[in-house]
Amino acid sequence: MSKDDSIGESLRKQGISRRAFMKFCAATASLLALPPGMAAVMAETLSRARRPSVIYLSYQECTGCGESLTRSFSPTLENLMFNVMSLDYYETLQAAAGTAAEAARKTAMKENWGKYLLVVDGAVPVGHDGAYCTIAGESAVDILTEAAKGAAAVVSVGTCAAFGGIPHANPDPTGAVAVSRIVKDKPVVNVSGCPPVPEVITGVLAHYLTFGSIPELDHLGRPKVFFGETIHDRCYRRPFYDEGKFAKTFDDEGARNGWCLFELGCKGPVTYNACPTVKWNQGTSYPIQSGHGCLGCSEPDFWDKGSFYQALSTGTWSGGAVLGAAAVAGAAIGVGAAIVSRRRHAHSEKEKQS
Ligand code: FSX
């Protein structure tokens, strides 16, 4: 398989059938909510295109995003890597190390200058001239600045890269910032989540690799197709919220009956992500389905906004500067419902005592 082969040629050389490739395109088109017929267009476009170079940089992070990415089911990372893209640098998965690895990155950048897709996970420390994160003697901020110059677009994977995440949390000793604070002159897609849903990462990559453009974004730079609605809007426990039925502890009767986790601190009403629809582990479950409230990990400053176990009605979340109008409205409804519930609870407690 040569680097200059079209995707169609490289598939043929690998013995991958047309049928298997069509299946991959159909799954990707469905994930991206594309109209019917687009899977065939995608297959046609992809089979004629050359595999684009992808350079993946990792900075201040826990590798949870990489762990998540490798568990993508549809499309799988292997599918993307072997069929659609040329992953030319990714410390976590590449065989090369040290000088050879850095040489591979520099060669890929030179050969694909202006055309490669730059993926970054982790926040970028700018304190003390970037001394807190260096690779091969260069600071993360310098490598990013240089790599972004030759990129066609940048994808920030994970809340650390998208918004600063945990490294940026108080007291932020390293001056950690989001990628978009460094890269100002290239399109930047924020795929937030700590970690992001795996299919959301591969879905965004597949969109770019197929159409050569980034998907439509929300006001925080996140793809609307995945971040267009709150967790709360798509939560299967929503009917209980609307009825004012709230679990009070993680093991009370309400919790056992699957009631709403709002009063236990769920941040679903102010959090935008695809967890309730795409889910995790091949569509098996997501935190709320497993009995725990949403932590709000795909929102900026989620770590510093108050306790994960404090209800939105009493916490600092709804006062956050970055919440959209819909989110604030959602929180307001939640506050109302929670107050009603608390009153009902207080009333029934009083009745029990009398
Ligand atoms: Fe951050 Fe990702 Fe959370 Fe971890 O790369 S978004 S700490 S899951 O690993 O950056």
Side-chain angles (χ1 to χ4, degrees), residues 7-8 11 16-32 34 38-40 42-47 51-52 72-85 199 202-211:
I7 291 170
L11 290 175
I16 293 166
S17 70
R18 171 101 186 135
R19 189 186 167 83
F21 182 57
M22 285 304 293
K23 236 174 121 182
F24 160 75
C25 291
T28 309
S30 140
L31 182 70
L32 294 168
L34 297 175
M38 281 309 282
M42 183 185 271
E44 190 52 37
T45 315
L46 278 180
S47 57
R51 292 192 310 152
S72 177
F73 179 61
S74 178
T76 62
L77 179 63
E78 293 95 298
N79 237 323
L80 283 181
M81 275 171 61
F82 295 123
N83 299 348
V84 187
M85 70 185 182
E199 287 76 16
T202 51
V204 169
L205 296 180
H207 185 285
Y208 181 79
L209 299 170
T210 307
F211 301 110

Side-chain angles (χ1 to χ4, degrees), residues 20-272:
F21 182 57
M22 285 304 293
K23 236 174 121 182
F24 160 75
C25 291
T28 309
S30 140
L31 182 70
L32 294 168
L34 297 175
M38 281 309 282
V41 175
M42 183 185 271
E44 190 52 37
T45 315
L46 278 180
S47 57
R48 277 190 277 116
R50 186 173 168 251
R51 292 192 310 152
S53 170
V54 176
I55 294 175
Y56 194 128
L57 305 174
S58 298
Y59 295 144
Q60 288 180 302
E61 42 91 31
C62 74
T63 312
C65 299
E67 286 284 340
S68 179
L69 175 63
T70 55
R71 279 154 186 75
S72 177
F73 179 61
S74 178
T76 62
L77 179 63
E78 293 95 298
N79 237 323
L80 283 181
M81 275 171 61
F82 295 123
N83 299 348
V84 187
M85 70 185 182
S86 170
L87 186 57
D88 291 326
Y89 182 87
Y90 183 17
E91 287 162 359
T92 312
L93 296 181
Q94 69 196 15
T99 311
E102 292 312 296
R105 174 173 62 79
K106 285 181 178 156
T107 304
M109 282 169 56
K110 202 170 154 199
E111 286 178 356
N112 302 285
W113 192 255
K115 289 184 287 190
Y116 57 82
L117 183 65
L118 182 64
V119 182
V120 187
D121 67 18
V124 191
V126 295
H128 286 102
D129 283 336
Y132 295 109
C133 179
T134 62
I135 297 155
E138 275 186 88
S139 72
V141 63
D142 285 349
I143 297 172
L144 173 62
T145 305
E146 180 61 16
K149 276 186 203 157
V154 181
V155 181
S156 297
V157 168
T159 298
C160 299
F163 305 131
I166 295 173
H168 175 68
N170 279 330
D172 188 4
T174 65
V177 300
V179 168
S180 59
R181 287 276 301 277
I182 307 295
V183 181
K184 298 282 187 194
D185 56 354
K186 292 288 158 81
V188 179
V189 184
N190 286 331
V191 183
S192 61
C194 188
V197 177
E199 287 76 16
V200 173
I201 309 174
T202 51
V204 169
L205 296 180
H207 185 285
Y208 181 79
L209 299 170
T210 307
F211 301 110
S213 64
I214 61 170
E216 193 187 349
L217 306 178
D218 72 4
H219 69 294
L220 292 175
R222 300 175 295 195
K224 278 187 180 170
V225 64
F226 297 115
F227 294 88
E229 289 176 87
T230 64
I231 303 289
H232 184 61
D233 287 338
R234 295 180 278 193
C235 182
Y236 75 104
R237 294 187 192 231
R238 177 65 183 262
F240 292 116
Y241 173 92
D242 292 337
E243 283 177 36
K245 290 181 173 170
F246 298 94
K248 310 290 174 193
T249 67
F250 285 107
D251 59 355
D252 68 4
E253 203 194 332
R256 281 193 288 277
N257 288 332
W259 289 3
C260 177
L261 302 172
F262 179 89
E263 295 199 2
L264 293 172
C266 181
K267 306 298 183 286
V270 290
T271 303
Y272 290 75

